[in-house]
Amino acid sequence: MNVWNLILESNTFNFIVLVILITYLMKKLNAGAALENLKNSIVKRIEDSKKQKEQALSELKNAEKAVENLDSEIKEHYTLAEKNADGVIKQTAENAESQVEHILKNVENAIENEEKQISAQILKSTAQKALLSAKEIIAEKLKQHPELHEKYINEAIEDIDKVKI
C-alpha cells in the first residue's frame, strides 16, 4: 500500500494520467482538425492581406503615375486659359475700338448735318433779309425818283419780249 500511495502521490503518475486525458480529449474533440482549420484560416488571411497589400501598392503606383504629370497639365491648362483670356481681351478691345470709331463717325455726321441745316437756315434768313433790304431800298429809290419806276417797267417789258416761247 505504500507503493500505491507513492505512485498516486508521485508527479510522474500524475503526468501520465494528464497526457492520457489530453490525448483522449484531443481524439474526442478532433483537435488536430480544428488546429489544421485554424492554421489554414490564418494562412488564408495572411495571403488575402498580401493580395490586398499588392493591390493597394498597384493603386498607389497608378495614382502616382496619374499625379506625375499633374504639374505640367496644370501649367498647360493655365497657359491655354491665359491665351483664351488674352484673345477675349484683344477681341473686346477691337470691338470697343470699332464701336468708338462708329460712334465718332455718327457724331461727325450729325455735326455736319447740323452745320448744313444751320448754314441753310442762316443763308435763307440772310437771303430773306437781303431781299427785304433790297425791296426797301428799291421802294425808297422809287419814292425819291418816280421816273425810275417807268424805266424799270419798260426794261422788264423788253426782257419779256426777248424771251422766246
Side-chain angles (χ1 to χ4, degrees):
M1 212 152 169
N2 260 342
V3 174
W4 182 249
N5 278 340
L6 185 63
I7 291 175
L8 287 178
E9 288 180 5
S10 85
N11 285 335
T12 309
F13 178 74
N14 289 333
F15 178 73
I16 293 173
V17 170
L18 183 63
V19 169
I20 292 172
L21 193 71
I22 289 176
T23 307
Y24 176 75
L25 285 174
M26 286 181 77
K27 284 184 181 180
K28 276 290 189 184
L29 295 176
N30 201 6
L35 286 176
E36 188 66 31
N37 287 340
L38 183 61
K39 176 185 155 192
N40 290 338
S41 173
I42 291 171
V43 168
K44 185 177 184 228
R45 285 184 186 173
I46 291 172
E47 288 175 2
D48 289 345
S49 294
K50 286 180 182 178
K51 286 179 184 177
Q52 288 176 354
K53 179 182 175 184
E54 288 174 9
Q55 186 177 10
L57 287 174
S58 174
E59 289 175 7
L60 177 63
K61 286 179 184 178
N62 290 339
E64 285 174 348
K65 285 180 183 177
V67 175
E68 188 174 85
N69 296 327
L70 190 61
D71 284 341
S72 63
E73 289 177 11
I74 288 172
K75 286 179 184 177
E76 185 178 316
H77 286 291
Y78 179 76
T79 303
L80 182 62
E82 202 171 53
K83 285 180 183 177
N84 288 341
D86 288 343
V88 168
I89 289 170
K90 183 178 178 183
Q91 184 65 36
T92 303
E94 288 174 0
N95 289 344
E97 188 175 313
S98 174
Q99 287 178 352
V100 166
E101 288 176 9
H102 183 69
I103 289 170
L104 288 175
K105 285 180 184 178
N106 287 343
V107 167
E108 288 174 5
N109 289 339
I111 290 172
E112 285 179 22
N113 288 338
E114 284 294 319
E115 286 176 352
K116 287 178 183 177
Q117 287 179 355
I118 291 172
S119 283
Q121 287 176 351
I122 290 173
L123 186 61
K124 183 179 176 183
S125 175
T126 305
Q128 285 176 345
K129 287 180 183 180
L131 283 175
L132 285 175
S133 179
K135 185 178 174 185
E136 288 175 3
I137 291 172
I138 291 172
E140 188 62 37
K141 281 192 177 188
L142 287 175
K143 281 184 190 177
Q144 291 174 358
H145 304 287
E147 68 276 358
L148 289 177
H149 186 66
E150 199 169 307
K151 178 185 170 192
Y152 290 136
I153 292 174
N154 288 335
E155 284 177 4
I157 291 172
E158 286 174 13
D159 286 341
I160 293 173
D161 284 341
K162 288 181 186 176
V163 176
K164 295 183 182 178
I165 300 176

